[in-house]
Amino acid sequence: MSQPDPHKSAYLPHIDGLRTIAVMGVLWAHFGLPGLSGGFLGVDVFFVISGFLITRLIVREKISTGCFSYRRFYHRRLRRLMPAALATIAVSITAFYPILADKDLYSFLRSVPFTILPLANINFYNEVGYFDTGAQFKPLLHFWSLAVEEQFYFLWPTLLLLLFAWPRSLLTAMATLFLFSILGAEYWYAWDTSAVYYLLPFRTFELLAGALLAVLGTTPDYDNLKPRLSSRAKTVAGLLGMLVILFGYVWFDEHSQLPGLGSLFVCIGTVLVIACGSRGVLGNLLTARPVIWIGLISYSLYLVHWPLFVYTLYRSPGELPLLLRLALLPLAMGLAALSYHFVEKPFRHPVVPGQKRANLPFFAAITVAASLLIIPSLAYKLDPESRKPELLAMLSTGAAPASGEIPGIGTQGHFRTLRVSAATPDAPRVLVLGDSHAGHMMTGVRHLLAVEGISADLVSVTGCPPLVGLTIQRETDHAPDQSCVAAGAITELLAVNGDYDAVVLTSRWGVATGETDMDGLTLLHIDYIQVDDLTPELGLERSRRVFDESLSKTVAAITASGKRLVLLGQIPPTGNNLARCAAILPWLGQTTSDRERCQGLIPGEVRRRLTYSETLLSSIATSPEVLFLSAIPLFCDRNECLTQAPETGEFLYEDDNHLNKTGSLFYLSRLIRNTNLLPFLKGKNRADELKRMSSRETPQY
């Protein structure tokens, strides 16, 4: 006699209805619709459901057959999850590759292999930082929760089967794990909020909430308890559970401390609905045909809704209007229905149960599809310059190959480095040094300096100006930031003592000196402190004083070493992220509202924000060995500041203050064409070079 198949166990239709409550909460919150600010807790509902169903399946198979088939378990998980996931990734690559700005494209392509593996949650956790793409612009961000579930699927069957060796201690052991997880999330939240949000150990309690219910349902005590509960009591308990879930949707928001003890509301509510929500008023609601239908497509709906929202937001002028956000609901459901009927269902069940090789074509197809989807990520990783700006071709200059390591630092740590060499052996050797504003000059340096007869090394340290004796106070523990301490050491090692003819210092100077908004209020300011001052007084005035002293000390040390020094002013900030300025239908071109959103700050606002740093840098460049070059005249005339290259229409910025590849080329080409940067670096007679430069055509815009 054949053994019963626990995978075909009794269907619980009200759980599909509960999936509808979960996925609609997620969509409502993600689309920014009013009323359910905590709808994202639908993900937590999904975790409890998954913990319940997976544990129920394992326990039923173990009890009915005396063993557990890992092969069948993972085969079914693969068929259930992978086809729709790969289809979503494929469509996302097709839709987003042509439109994403450089930084966003890098983040997106980097996420693809991690999403397939599945390690999406770990990837997005590691990505949090200074240059992190905003969450609303990561098309595959929602895969973090699927990765958590899948990691749970890898670990839980083995752990649960081990615990079965001590059946009397099974519930106690699971409850202990539950407590460790939820208390760990509550405690660790203050130390690392992102880890608590993304990583499995801090989400395990939600999955275990469902698992505990599944195991409890197989115990004699539970069987004895069920007859004692009247139908009315079950109905009330189920309704109470649903009210608790909806309360969480309404009460919590993105600023709430979740996951943690607050998540117990939704966990308990979900457990009550699973256990008692199959009958009565709630049962009728959850098993209604439209509700069941949404529950059936809920996996595909969860997969498609976020890329759809990101694409719409990316291609829209500013905040999405309410009507458009509402329209996304039926559109997402339509796409999910297509995914469910044409991708999920055809691959959901093994072709021939019990025959191992009959399913090999499916595994081969999945492997090939996953490999093909990773190719764009690998290609971009191997050649980050693969998507070359149109402006590069118009500049008609050859690219000098990057080569070698920079003595003293190589390519290690938090430094970004580049070395380009001119063809002539006696070419001047120049060091370009700074924070991320040196890093965004990398494309321009790579393609433009060597052909002008200059060999260059570029070193950038994100968030740290290239000044000695200065660091910043970390926000987490108020300790001196060691990256900036190291940046000061590199400045001393290379700019002061290195074998260079000239040094170029560039930075987001306004961060240190207090960028100001139109009304004069402080817009952005980082507390700079002296390296040896562990308990400094903080504030803008103190930060400016420390910065001024460090800048003067650095300039004096570099010039005393016999090097020429160029101080580059900060590029104009734009006031908002202009890299995502495009029409939702690109073939229709930009509308008036698009163009209005895609305008940067007017020149008066730019100068107002950068007054202090521009004045300070200019006042220091008084000797023949020091040259100050403001970036403002290269981007701004009297009426406007450029945000697009006049020659090609390509956007110049990758966010509100960093240049993209096109911007890097544009900036350095204008420095070469419109200033005396080159003659100064080469040490030639300035008058002759300026006369030669004046004959060049100045671009008009």
Side-chain angles (χ1 to χ4, degrees):
M1 180 181 296
S2 61
Q3 295 286 352
D5 186 357
H7 294 266
K8 296 181 179 179
S9 55
Y11 172 54
L12 302 174
H14 73 292
I15 289 185
D16 274 329
L18 184 56
R19 284 193 176 108
T20 298
I21 302 301
V23 76
M24 292 308 296
V26 172
L27 266 65
W28 205 269
H30 285 178
F31 290 171
L33 301 175
L36 299 180
S37 58
F40 57 84
L41 287 169
V43 171
D44 303 60
V45 176
F46 274 126
F47 284 154
V48 178
I49 293 173
S50 294
F52 171 77
L53 292 177
I54 291 301
T55 305
R56 180 172 179 260
L57 184 151
I58 297 170
V59 171
R60 289 170 68 93
E61 180 172 350
K62 178 67 175 176
I63 292 175
S64 61
T65 68
C67 61
F68 174 74
S69 172
Y70 283 94
R71 180 185 62 82
R72 182 165 53 181
F73 176 81
Y74 290 118
H75 183 189
R76 287 180 176 271
R77 299 285 73 70
L78 193 66
R79 280 187 168 273
R80 171 76 174 91
L81 301 173
M82 190 58 77
L86 292 180
T88 301
I89 295 170
V91 172
S92 296
I93 292 175
T94 303
F96 285 100
Y97 187 90
I99 70 168
L100 292 179
D102 291 339
K103 182 178 69 172
D104 301 332
L105 179 65
Y106 172 79
S107 172
F108 170 61
L109 291 179
R110 169 190 162 91
S111 70
V112 170
F114 289 97
T115 300
I116 294 173
L117 282 176
L119 298 169
N121 59 329
I122 296 175
N123 170 62
F124 291 123
Y125 166 67
N126 288 329
E127 213 175 49
V128 173
Y130 182 80
F131 273 118
D132 187 19
T133 293
Q136 70 272 31
F137 297 117
K138 295 182 179 183
L140 302 180
L141 178 65
H142 60 317
F143 274 84
W144 75 265
S145 63
L146 301 178
V148 168
E149 288 193 17
E150 289 160 9
Q151 290 159 18
F152 180 77
Y153 297 160
F154 281 119
L155 299 174
W156 183 236
T158 300
L159 180 57
L160 180 59
L161 292 174
L162 288 174
L163 293 176
F164 258 103
W166 299 276
R168 294 184 178 180
S169 304
L170 177 59
L171 287 174
T172 302
M174 291 176 64
T176 301
L177 291 174
F178 178 93
L179 288 174
F180 270 113
S181 176
I182 192 169
L183 294 178
E186 188 71 18
Y187 171 78
W188 203 254
Y189 187 91
W191 293 95
D192 194 343
T193 303
S194 297
V196 173
Y197 186 84
Y198 283 119
L199 302 184
L200 174 62
F202 305 107
R203 293 284 186 173
T204 300
F205 73 92
E206 295 173 320
L207 292 146
L208 286 179
L212 280 165
L213 177 62
V215 172
L216 184 64
T218 64
T219 63
D221 291 339
Y222 184 79
D223 291 334
N224 295 333
L225 177 63
K226 285 191 292 185
R228 301 178 190 174
L229 292 176
S230 65
S231 297
R232 183 175 182 179
K234 292 179 182 177
T235 300
V236 171
L239 286 172
L240 179 62
M242 181 57 65
L243 289 176
V244 169
I245 294 173
L246 297 179
F247 171 80
Y249 284 5
V250 174
W251 180 260
F252 294 106
D253 59 30
E254 60 182 0
H255 303 294
S256 302
Q257 183 172 331
L258 298 169
L261 293 175
S263 306
L264 282 178
F265 282 99
V266 173
C267 291
I268 293 172
T270 305
V271 166
L272 287 175
V273 173
I274 293 173
C276 306
S278 60
R279 297 181 181 180
V281 176
L282 181 60
N284 293 335
L285 173 64
L286 293 179
T287 56
R289 279 195 172 185
V291 179
I292 288 288
W293 180 76
I294 295 176
L296 290 173
I297 67 168
S298 60
Y299 176 60
S300 285
L301 184 55
Y302 182 80
L303 288 177
V304 304
H305 87 280
W306 186 249
L308 174 64
F309 174 74
V310 173
Y311 186 89
T312 307
L313 183 63
Y314 210 94
R315 307 302 305 247
S316 298
E319 185 178 351
L320 300 181
L322 179 59
L323 287 178
L324 178 55
R325 283 179 273 146
L326 284 170
L328 292 178
L329 287 174
L331 181 55
M333 289 183 188
L335 294 174
L338 292 175
S339 174
Y340 175 73
H341 288 288
F342 295 104
V343 182
E344 272 197 72
K345 286 183 69 176
F347 298 103
R348 195 161 190 169
H349 301 292
V351 178
V352 182
Q355 296 186 17
K356 298 180 181 180
R357 296 185 179 181
N359 294 291
L360 285 180
F362 168 78
F363 293 126
I366 287 294
T367 302
V368 170
S371 301
L372 291 175
L373 292 177
I374 292 176
I375 288 176
S377 302
L378 292 176
Y380 193 82
K381 178 69 174 177
L382 294 173
D383 183 14
E385 301 287 325
S386 58
R387 199 169 67 164
K388 291 182 171 60
E390 296 176 23
L391 184 60
L392 180 60
M394 298 193 66
L395 292 174
S396 300
T397 123
S403 62
E405 293 186 354
I406 298 174
I409 61 172
T411 56
Q412 59 185 342
H414 24 256
F415 302 105
R416 294 182 63 198
T417 64
L418 172 72
R419 167 166 284 191
V420 292
S421 301
T424 55
D426 59 343
R429 298 190 67 250
V430 174
L431 172 68
V432 181
L433 186 63
D435 58 10
S436 56
H437 280 223
H440 72 192
M441 294 183 65
M442 192 167 287
T443 300
V445 170
R446 183 193 302 274
H447 291 281
L448 301 181
L449 272 191
V451 295
E452 295 287 352
I454 291 179
S455 296
D457 289 347
L458 184 149
V459 180
S460 71
V461 187
T462 297
C464 302
L467 304 177
V468 296
L470 173 149
T471 186
I472 67 174
Q473 186 186 60
R474 290 201 305 250
E475 294 182 3
T476 53
D477 56 5
H478 304 291
D481 187 279
Q482 294 305 310
S483 296
C484 292
V485 174
I490 290 298
T491 300
E492 203 157 5
L493 173 69
L494 298 180
V496 178
N497 300 317
D499 183 21
Y500 296 100
D501 300 297
V503 175
V504 177
L505 298 185
T506 180
S507 178
R508 189 179 181 185
W509 308 111
V511 173
T513 57
E515 290 184 5
T516 55
D517 211 341
M518 292 178 61
D519 56 3
L521 297 176
T522 298
L523 175 69
L524 185 60
H525 157 233
I526 289 180
D527 283 312
Y528 280 85
I529 60 176
Q530 294 172 324
V531 171
D532 56 354
D533 189 355
L534 301 182
T535 57
E537 299 174 9
L538 302 179
L540 178 57
E541 292 305 318
R542 168 61 185 258
S543 183
R544 284 181 173 180
R545 187 166 64 252
V546 171
F547 183 87
D548 295 357
E549 293 172 357
S550 181
L551 179 61
S552 299
K553 179 180 178 181
T554 303
V555 170
I558 293 173
T559 55
S561 69
K563 300 178 182 67
R564 297 180 294 279
L565 174 63
V566 178
L567 298 173
L568 293 183
Q570 180 180 326
I571 65 163
T574 65
N576 60 86
N577 194 328
L578 302 181
R580 301 167 181 131
C581 293
I584 189 169
L585 301 175
W587 53 87
L588 297 181
Q590 286 189 333
T591 64
T592 301
S593 58
D594 290 330
R595 288 191 292 273
E596 290 175 354
R597 183 187 73 137
C598 295
Q599 291 177 352
L601 297 174
I602 63 174
E605 295 174 7
V606 169
R607 291 187 174 91
R608 197 174 353 258
R609 290 190 177 200
L610 301 180
T611 295
Y612 187 90
S613 60
E614 292 281 299
T615 303
L616 174 64
L617 294 170
S618 178
S619 66
I620 287 181
T622 55
S623 68
E625 296 80 19
V626 184
L627 174 66
F628 167 64
L629 296 176
S630 174
I632 297 176
L634 305 179
F635 287 81
C636 306
D637 62 13
R638 291 184 178 180
N639 301 313
E640 66 173 339
C641 292
L642 287 175
T643 59
Q644 295 173 265
E647 301 88 344
T648 63
E650 296 172 283
F651 283 100
L652 303 174
Y653 289 81
E654 74 172 18
D655 54 27
D656 64 340
N657 73 95
H658 293 95
L659 300 172
N660 58 18
K661 295 174 185 176
T662 299
S664 179
L665 292 163
F666 172 85
Y667 180 33
L668 200 57
S669 66
R670 289 216 162 185
L671 279 171
I672 291 172
R673 180 179 299 179
N674 298 344
T675 75
N676 57 332
L677 173 66
L678 280 184
F680 183 81
L681 293 178
K682 295 178 179 180
K684 295 183 178 180
N685 182 277
R686 291 193 188 183
D688 292 343
E689 287 297 319
L690 288 173
K691 183 178 180 180
R692 179 180 63 83
M693 285 167 44
S694 65
S695 64
R696 294 184 177 182
E697 180 182 353
T698 301
Q700 301 296 319
Y701 59 92

